[in-house]
Amino acid sequence: MSKQIIIDGTLIEVADGTTILQACEQTGIEIPRFCYHERLSIAGNCRMCLVEVVGIGKPIASCAMGVGDLPPNRDGSPREVSTKSPLVKHAREGVMEFLLINHPLDCPICDQGGECDLQDQAMAFGFGGSRFVENKRAVEEKYIGPLIKTFMNRCIHCTRCVRFMTEIAGVEELGAIGRGEDMEITTYLEHGILTEMSANVNDLCPVGALTHRPWSYMARPWEFEKTESFDVMDAVGSAIRVDARGREVMRILPRNNDDVNEEWISDKTRHVSDGLRTQRLDRPYVREDGKLRPASWAEALAAAAAKLKEAKPERIGAIVGDLAGAEEMFALRELMTRIDVKNIDCRQDGAKLAPSLGRASYLFNTTIAGIEQADALLLIGTNPRLEAAVFNARILKRWRTGGLKVGVIGEQAPLTYPYDYLGAGAKTLGEVAEGPHAFAKVLKDAERSMVIIGAGAYARADGAALLGLSARIALGAMEGKDASWNGFNVLHTAASRVAGLDLGFVPVGKGALNAQDQVAAAVKGKLDVLYLLGADEVDLANKGSDSTFVIYQGTHGDAGAHRADVILPAAAYTEKSATYVNTEGRVQFTKRAVFAPGEAKEDWAIVRALSAHLDHTLPFDTLTTLRSAMYAVAPHLARLDAVAPADRKGIESVAKLKGSTIDEPFVSPVRDFYLTNPIARASAVMAEMSALKKSMNAGSRLSAAE
């Protein structure tokens, strides 16, 4: 049902439930606001959005008044709204004057300067003066964590931050105390905020009361070179903007992408930027007499090539890490194929996912935005709050609209929404899949049910059997329902995983070794050369692996580099143009914001240079020719920002997987949200957050024990 309204002389028709502010925006008229935000509930605090409704004697707050709430005129004609009348102008000037009574007006030293809504709207809708000469109020500053710096004298009580923490982050850690002039925004018992998405409140704050602590007083926004890119800290693929000054990434901010992250990013995504500058590998190294020494590129490549030439193909292995782009994986796969190496794997976590079963067997088929259509959800072996914080916020958003039943098999973790805890492991999963279980009926009765399996299940030794059980649950729930709805979903934790599976970077043929088998073979001295492309999560600390020659190509002096015999320094995700595929199969494209430090090079170029030393020169000299060859193998990688629906037969193939299961509880692979990859482990901010989280958890356990 639609409604009609006249705005500044223009008659428009809007959907029922549309507010006057939204109707004005649809006609292209800008309405000033501080408290209103499209993704938060309506508060009506600031009164900056006042408009005049002809026939009503006082200004109306347009954010809180629906078009349908306005009674028609006596003759039945639609109401007329004016946004530019003298009454509106005078009212907005008065509101702005009122808001600035207590504001300290410290724009020259404020980090929000240049990006401040209060500045912009004071210029556009204020009148340039004030009649108030009373002393301004003073508010005590509060420490609310390492990520948020407070200047509460500037606060205008719009409550955006409070509503975000409650409605989006799902943790009620901010609130208001006091009334009137004594009102203050604060944390519960003045504790620090430690949700995984807390720093988004800094973007929401319109006045600089909350700013980013890690980069406070570092730079002004007009100094930055801004580059649109995508996040690789998890497999969600959030849209981000990388702001750089000179050769350094100074900060990372979210971009709007309604289908993936809306306009939110996790704290790790936002504040990992200092890890891009520290502990970097900026030149090649070669190990001599047990110690690494700097070397030239020619020397390092020659040393790596010599070992690869000496070794038999069956005694060579290659493992790809979690942050690799599709281009370098394709180049390495082509090189390994040319030297007849079949021991390759992109699943360093031991995932039992296989491209041979079909693309639907390893994708989040429902899509991230599709969560908002679900009415029943089963989480298996995953803690989405730690593994994909923005994704978890989407589940909370759907739960808040009502009608969503959530079941969990695995850890009884503190998610941000209520759920039914079904059990800890494979036994419960089997009961839901093949025996009578109450939640199985919930899934079957739902019109759009979702089954989400995480790495805590599919990366175990019995992962294939668990995938089979999960697929049978999904197929049973989908039976007789809408054929376009695919309820089987795999939640990945690594940005590189889907592209690696798409390109077939898995063991080739019978007897080929996967990542875990390669590490085991290296420990037993059965592997001569191991090539690690950014693989820092494999454990080669065992002394038995000393006989294996390790070639490490990566960005940081992390676990892989410590064990390496040759180090080839590479570019991080902000320093190269690379293709990534997120957990739902959406193809995304990072752009280079800065150049790699020192002598580090882009990964594909390193592999191409190594191929020449091996006398198996790869047939591409440029990124363009490499991509042309890659698109011939995987054409869907050329369709950027698109999700191609996968054939549902892949799920039927997974459902046929059988096997015995292990009677152990599912455990999420992410034990420390802040330290999940080499970039995060090099970040001082992430280290501080990790230490603070551990200390607070220890304190909570101690209090519980007492």
Side-chain angles (χ1 to χ4, degrees), residues 146-391:
L147 304 182
I148 304 171
K149 193 175 182 66
T150 64
F151 297 90
M152 301 313 290
N153 289 338
R154 303 170 185 163
C155 182
I156 62 170
H157 304 153
C158 71
T159 68
R160 278 188 181 183
C161 55
V162 175
R163 284 175 284 149
F164 170 84
M165 294 300 295
T166 302
E167 299 167 13
I168 307 298
V171 181
E172 298 178 359
E173 292 188 341
L174 273 180
I177 59 173
R179 295 175 63 85
E181 189 181 56
D182 296 325
M183 179 178 171
E184 295 182 22
I185 304 296
T186 185
T187 59
Y188 180 69
L189 296 179
E190 298 192 1
H191 283 186
I193 296 178
L194 275 179
T195 70
E196 295 74 23
M197 297 177 63
S198 63
N200 286 286
V201 299
N202 297 334
D203 295 334
L204 291 171
C205 183
V207 298
L210 304 175
T211 60
H212 295 93
R213 186 180 294 273
W215 62 66
S216 61
Y217 305 123
M218 296 286 286
R220 288 296 193 180
W222 52 83
E223 299 178 62
F224 297 135
E225 191 74 30
K226 301 172 179 64
T227 306
E228 294 185 352
S229 189
F230 290 92
D231 173 49
V232 300
M233 293 296 108
D234 53 35
V236 174
S238 301
I240 59 173
R241 193 188 81 197
V242 180
D243 288 358
R245 184 176 61 182
R247 298 191 59 143
E248 289 189 355
V249 173
M250 301 299 293
R251 66 179 187 178
I252 296 172
L253 297 176
R255 287 190 297 121
N256 190 77
N257 188 337
D258 287 342
D259 291 332
V260 182
N261 62 304
E262 298 185 303
E263 58 188 84
W264 321 118
I265 55 175
S266 71
D267 291 348
K268 179 168 54 179
T269 297
R270 182 185 299 266
H271 287 295
V272 80
S273 55
D274 67 316
L276 293 165
R277 302 190 293 268
T278 55
Q279 298 182 26
R280 289 299 301 270
L281 300 172
D282 58 359
R283 63 186 305 176
Y285 288 86
V286 173
R287 190 178 296 275
E288 280 187 0
D289 300 325
K291 294 184 178 180
L292 289 168
R293 65 166 180 82
S296 66
W297 269 107
E299 189 178 2
L301 291 171
K307 288 294 183 179
L308 288 168
K309 285 179 179 179
E310 291 174 8
K312 295 179 180 179
E314 62 270 18
R315 294 179 67 88
I316 299 174
I319 303 175
V320 167
D322 294 346
L323 307 183
E327 287 81 0
E328 50 258 35
M329 287 190 285
F330 176 75
L332 185 58
R333 196 200 73 165
E334 290 296 294
L335 177 58
M336 292 295 126
T337 300
R338 287 169 182 265
I339 62 176
D340 202 29
V341 173
K342 294 179 171 54
N343 305 321
I344 62 174
D345 204 353
C346 66
R347 305 162 301 181
Q348 68 170 347
D349 61 350
K352 301 305 181 287
L353 305 167
S356 60
L357 297 173
R359 200 161 184 255
S361 69
Y362 58 84
L363 290 184
F364 198 93
N365 295 289
T366 307
T367 73
I368 294 171
I371 293 171
E372 298 185 25
Q373 303 176 44
D375 45 10
L377 177 64
L378 176 62
L379 298 171
I380 303 167
T382 180
N383 180 348
R385 182 172 173 181
L386 299 182
E387 296 170 26
V390 174
F391 169 89

Side-chain angles (χ1 to χ4, degrees), residues 378-382 407-410 429 451-457 470 473 666:
L378 176 62
L379 298 171
I380 303 167
T382 180
V408 171
I409 302 177
L429 183 62
V451 174
I452 302 175
I453 182 169
S470 303
I473 294 172
F666 300 148

Side-chain angles (χ1 to χ4, degrees), residues 106-130:
D106 54 352
C107 301
I109 63 165
C110 178
D111 264 346
Q112 199 88 338
E115 299 174 317
C116 179
D117 291 344
L118 187 64
Q119 278 185 332
D120 296 340
Q121 294 186 38
M123 290 293 293
F125 303 102
F127 72 94
S130 176

Side-chain angles (χ1 to χ4, degrees), residues 657-705:
L657 296 175
K658 305 284 186 178
S660 59
T661 57
I662 303 170
D663 189 19
E664 292 180 0
F666 300 148
V667 179
S668 171
V670 178
R671 308 316 299 166
D672 191 328
F673 170 76
Y674 300 102
L675 304 176
T676 55
N677 59 63
I679 301 175
R681 289 191 285 268
S683 166
V685 177
M686 293 298 101
E688 184 178 1
M689 292 299 294
S690 174
L692 183 59
K693 185 79 171 180
K694 288 177 181 176
S695 67
M696 291 190 70
N697 288 342
S700 300
R701 288 193 295 269
L702 183 61
S703 299

Side-chain angles (χ1 to χ4, degrees), residues 97-113:
E97 184 181 12
F98 179 75
L99 290 175
L100 294 176
I101 291 174
N102 284 311
H103 195 80
L105 305 178
D106 54 352
C107 301
I109 63 165
C110 178
D111 264 346
Q112 199 88 338

